[in-house]
Each structure stands twice: as C-alpha cells, then as structure tokens.
Amino acid sequence: MSIPLSDTLPLEIVHRLQRLRQARGHTLQEVYDATGIHVARLEASKANMRVATLAVLCQYYEISLEEFFQGL
C-alpha cells in the first residue's frame, strides 16, 4: 500500500526544517527568539505549517523556498 503524497509531504517539510535547524546549530529557543515561530510545535506536528511561516523560516536559515523544496 502506498502512502498518498498529501500524507508524506508535511512530514518531509517538518523533517527538512529540523535538519536545517540542527545543521546550523540553532536551538528551538533561538529560532523562536529570532522569528517568533514555535518551531517545537511544528517539529512535533502539533501545528499546521503555513507557506508564510515556511518563508520566514527559510529566510532565517538563509535559503530560498526553491532551495528548500528541491528534491522533495
């Protein structure tokens, strides 16, 4: 049985954000302090991801949305 894309894409987005944060050595608190975004809730899939939120996080991590979505 295959999993529909609509079920896997949100998880991939969350995992990619988590990897970006960790690769840059940022804590959840540091990201929150800089952006006002509760990344812990996003990483725990307890909040819905909006495109505007993702854009802010990409800007914080200094990557474009295009770069973020490459390979997904």
Side-chain angles (χ1 to χ4, degrees):
M1 178 172 104
S2 69
I3 299 172
L5 179 62
S6 62
D7 291 344
T8 61
L9 187 59
L11 292 175
E12 280 300 314
I13 290 170
V14 167
H15 290 145
R16 187 161 286 190
L17 282 172
Q18 188 174 40
R19 288 190 302 270
L20 277 170
R21 180 180 61 76
Q22 292 170 343
R24 284 162 172 74
H26 297 294
T27 65
L28 294 167
Q29 187 64 49
E30 288 170 335
V31 177
Y32 175 74
D33 290 344
T35 65
I37 297 170
H38 291 276
V39 180
R41 291 183 51 81
L42 296 173
E43 288 183 9
S45 298
K46 294 189 185 269
N48 291 325
M49 176 71 66
R50 296 181 343 182
V51 173
T53 301
L54 184 57
V56 170
L57 290 171
C58 284
Q59 183 177 9
Y60 176 72
Y61 295 132
E62 299 179 338
I63 66 167
S64 69
L65 282 169
E66 181 181 354
E67 289 172 299
F68 181 84
F69 281 106
Q70 282 181 339
L72 278 183

